[in-house]
Amino acid sequence: MVKIVKIVHAKEITFIHFYRTSTCICRKFIEFQIFLPRKLLYLRPTVENMGMNGLNYLSILFLFFSAVSCTETEDSSDKKREFRPVSDSHSYANIEQIRTKHLHLDIDVNFDAKTISGVARHEMVDHEATTAIFDIKALDIKRVTLGKGNEIGTDFELGDSDDILGRPLKVKIKPDTKYINIYYSTTDETQALDWLDPALTSGKKHPFMYTQGQAILTRSWIPLQDSPTNRITYSADVQVPSELMAVMSADNPKSKSADGKYHFEMKQKIPAYLIAIAVGDLKYTSLGDRCGIYSEPELAAECAYEFTDLPKMINAAEKLYGTYQWDQFDMAILPYSFPFGGMENPRLTFANPTLLAGDQSLVSVVAHELAHSWSGNLVTNATWNDFWLNEGFTVYFENRIMEALYGEEIADIHKFIEFQDLVATVEDMENGEHPEDTHLKLHLDDRDPDEGMSDIAYVKGAFFLRTIEKEVGRKKFDIFIKEYFDTHAFETISTEDFVDYLSTELFEPNNVQFNVEEWIYQPGIPDNCVKIRSKRLEHMDELAQEVNNGEMIFIGSGANLERSDFITQEWVAFIRGLSDDISPETMAELDEKLAFSQSANRVIKLEWYQLAVRVGYKSARPYMKEHLTKVGRRWLIEGIYRALAESEDKSDLAFAKEVFEQAKGNYHFVSRSTVAEILGVE
Ligand code: BES
Ligand code: ZN
């Protein structure tokens, strides 16, 4: 069967995408693209407006390509599908006309000037273009040349600058130009880079620098086509101060080089947002034959203990959904300012030291980043409107890894807490400025893709998959997911393509009726969403009610609130169960017995401090201040700042502003801008 999947109108050309599906070729697709000059194909710019002329023309093409497709041999069914341009409103790049195949970086990381400078050498696929457009943001472009070895200067032009997207860099080329070399330097305005003085590191002796590319910040440290629709390989020659070590989302050194020179290769195709580098006083600790941790030497022992289960996680993940495709899975533990818990840079997940709770209680973040090695890195969202394909799948997969290692009860506890978060998020969004943000398929075209990072993509996405799993049964669902990863490995995929794949590969063969449209294109949480119960969390809620009712007696009570083996989420459930009417005296009593304000676990602190603000428990402030100034992980600080900003007691907002003023130097741009907006400053 031949099926037209998509018609994409580029500037001078119309692309028509065909799939030929056939059961005899293991349900894999063969895809054809026809590149037709617009003038030849009498099509208007939308499919809906397609006239009869176009249809007739298409029928002829159909017949022609059906014939061609029948001559395809079995062998060709294994060929990867060709590149398919999808329009990405968050990139200026004209990748439908010309695109990078391989990027080589020759760069110098200068801690004195706080710049990365050098040259980005782009090797392009064959093309007919006379202009190549790259994305840049706050970059100083020195010159652009064409060619390899014998480089010749060429004209370039910078387009208007946009706050979110940056600006287009338009380079004049010839239809046979293969190599484009962009000489550049980052500036003070860079948003991807975080430069840390020694005082902000664990060792306090050496500076540190790292990048955060997702979603569209890579363009602020490398001039490139910053769209996930295109995948590239990359290599890099990097010069850093000789006392520091450089690591990238590529193959990495195990020890420092004598001269500060490092060479990297990433031979698998990845989207631009996954290019990453970190430079600091790093030491490698192996945790198994294909995994380990880069950390400052001071944290090495703690890391080795906290992440002991990593080899087991990798095995469990492979057992679920197939071979780990990136050879090595290492993690780099960055300074506290890192704005995320983890970032799935391939071969080298970046992680925040707040994961080091001392009791392995926050390792679900590791399971999450590992899961991205399949969902996100192997199969990538085509645009940021399809972000749930990255994160929803990953939360689902993360939980399956947790279940495999720690059992169903623990996995359910995680799901339950996530669901509570989702319900709260949906409620907020429905009353907010963008109620359509509760759709899985997002509409972020003229907004910052960062705004898509919510419980919708993550948790609604995961519950969508859990609901399908319940409908078709785990066995069939697992086969489907594994096949999905295999079929789309090293590709990008849009929501529409996924929906298509889901119905042809899972629903139709199993005769399943499912409200996919409602889940993806409608607001809220559909009624058929799976319900999760957790006895252990219900028990924590009962304990909280006892406190609320003034019935809790601590020492020697049957309630046994002082048990130390509650897991993080149990404490979170307990704190969530406490009433906003609780008195500061009871808060003080709880704090005295259970030391929430000073917990080693910052996820518990997050929950506790938000309650402390709501109930006016001011004694928590010094600890809150320590937390907010030490940690830059956005999720761990955002809710606290929000609670302070929304408090009826105006002194809370003043306190928040004062703390932010002191802390912001220790925040990456991502967290700094979020908090500044919450507090209405900067
Ligand atoms: N890829 C995300 C982080 C991200 C998303 C950065 C969008 C920039 C734009 C990462 O995998 C992530 O989700 N991190 C979470 C982990 C958590 C959900 C277990 C985090 O940092 O909190
Ligand atoms: Zn993620």
Side-chain angles (χ1 to χ4, degrees), residues 212 214 340-342 344 368-369 372 387 391 453 458 633:
Q212 168 57 39
Q214 197 180 14
F340 300 105
E344 67 272 23
H368 179 95
E369 304 315 330
H372 270 305
F387 184 53
E391 297 298 343
M453 199 189 175
Y458 284 74
R633 179 178 170 192

Side-chain angles (χ1 to χ4, degrees), residues 212-215 273 338-344 364-366 368-369 372 384 387 391 394-395 398 449-450 453 458 633-635:
Q212 168 57 39
Q214 197 180 14
Y273 74 85
F338 182 54
F340 300 105
M343 174 66 217
E344 67 272 23
S364 63
V365 177
V366 178
H368 179 95
E369 304 315 330
H372 270 305
W384 299 113
F387 184 53
E391 297 298 343
T394 299
V395 171
E398 160 201 336
D450 194 45
M453 199 189 175
Y458 284 74
R633 179 178 170 192
R634 180 165 63 178
W635 177 63

Side-chain angles (χ1 to χ4, degrees), residues 169-354:
L169 163 66
K170 299 176 188 167
V171 178
K172 194 173 165 198
I173 55 166
K174 299 211 177 78
D176 61 354
T177 298
K178 195 160 180 199
Y179 296 97
I180 305 174
N181 314 299
I182 308 170
Y183 290 78
Y184 74 102
S185 172
T186 61
T187 64
D188 289 348
E189 304 297 308
T190 177
Q191 294 176 345
L193 300 178
D194 196 3
W195 300 92
L196 295 145
D197 291 337
L200 296 172
T201 66
S202 295
K204 316 236 177 283
K205 287 192 290 286
H206 298 282
F208 203 106
M209 186 280 298
Y210 65 87
T211 60
Q212 168 57 39
Q214 197 180 14
I216 55 169
L217 301 182
T218 304
R219 65 190 66 175
S220 79
W221 77 279
I222 310 173
L224 44 50
Q225 298 177 312
D226 197 4
S227 168
T229 59
N230 190 29
R231 304 179 72 105
I232 60 172
T233 54
Y234 82 87
S235 50
D237 284 302
V238 181
Q239 174 73 61
V240 303
S242 60
E243 67 279 14
L244 303 180
M245 182 168 171
V247 285
M248 291 191 83
S249 51
D251 63 330
N252 277 306
K254 293 266 173 6
S255 56
K256 279 181 192 156
S257 73
D259 55 4
K261 283 192 200 317
Y262 294 90
H263 178 77
F264 301 92
E265 301 269 349
M266 168 44 88
K267 293 204 165 84
Q268 285 136 315
K269 291 194 284 178
I270 59 168
Y273 74 85
L274 293 176
I275 304 176
I277 184 166
V279 182
D281 181 20
L282 292 171
K283 176 181 173 262
Y284 186 68
T285 309
S286 171
L287 291 180
D289 57 354
R290 53 176 168 168
C291 57
I293 310 287
Y294 290 89
S295 72
E296 290 188 60
E298 292 76 10
L299 296 179
E302 260 181 83
C303 290
Y305 171 72
E306 203 77 31
F307 305 124
T308 318
D309 282 347
L310 183 52
K312 279 192 224 156
M313 284 188 175
I314 301 174
N315 291 341
E318 286 193 314
K319 214 165 147 198
L320 281 165
Y321 300 131
T323 312
Y324 177 73
Q325 303 263 13
W326 310 87
D327 305 326
Q328 190 73 18
F329 184 91
D330 292 327
M331 298 206 297
I333 309 303
L334 305 183
Y336 282 92
S337 69
F338 182 54
F340 300 105
M343 174 66 217
E344 67 272 23
N345 300 314
R347 298 182 67 119
L348 186 68
T349 279
F350 282 7
N352 193 291
T354 53

